[in-house]
Amino acid sequence: MNADEQSAAALLKAYGHAANAADAHAIAALYAPDGVLMAQNMAPCVGNEAVHQAYAGMFQAIALDIAFSIAELRQIAPDWVLARTTSTGTIRLLATGADIPEANQELFLFQRIDAAWKIARYCFNTTLPA
């Protein structure tokens, strides 16, 4: 793994910590200004404010206890790194307190902007049966 891929892996780790802490501000700060969140069953959220609002809304309904595993991490251009990941853990439904399993597959596209790595695009979907 080269230095840029290591930086992207560190950003992914920071994302996981912020998600488990339900910190929408910290997550939005990890995104590029024009970053895009493509969550399952939602229209794409484009830009920091839309990304922040999406996570803030999610964290009003759920709490996460998840861990990411990197399946593939590859620098595809000087300022771009692609990560294919999986995540597993639990989702707590705050309205009922019920815990349900979480298992997703994800694609992250990281972009170097002014010497800092940011999430440019993030897409995920469940791998659990319907």
Side-chain angles (χ1 to χ4, degrees):
M1 193 180 314
N2 69 32
D4 291 331
E5 292 166 343
Q6 289 174 354
S7 294
L11 183 58
L12 178 61
K13 187 174 184 177
Y15 174 85
H17 286 303
N20 285 331
D23 190 339
H25 289 291
I27 290 175
L30 298 174
Y31 273 79
D34 64 346
V36 179
L37 166 65
M38 294 176 286
Q40 185 166 302
N41 301 319
M42 288 178 54
C45 301
V46 180
N48 284 106
E49 184 56 33
V51 166
H52 176 264
Q53 288 177 3
Y55 282 102
M58 284 186 250
F59 294 145
Q60 289 177 355
I62 64 170
L64 298 173
D65 184 9
I66 59 172
F68 286 92
S69 295
I70 296 173
E72 179 181 11
L73 190 62
R74 167 182 315 207
Q75 187 158 18
I76 57 175
D79 292 331
W80 296 91
V81 172
L82 175 75
R84 182 172 56 88
T85 64
T86 59
S87 61
T88 56
T90 58
I91 298 170
R92 174 158 289 160
L93 304 176
L94 297 178
T96 65
D99 288 335
I100 59 173
E102 186 273 358
N104 284 325
Q105 57 187 352
E106 303 96 8
L107 279 176
F108 287 88
L109 184 58
F110 300 104
Q111 180 181 15
R112 183 181 7 232
I113 300 172
D114 298 329
W117 285 96
K118 297 290 185 174
I119 300 168
R121 305 292 184 269
Y122 172 42
C123 179
F124 68 88
N125 67 286
T126 185
T127 57
L128 295 173

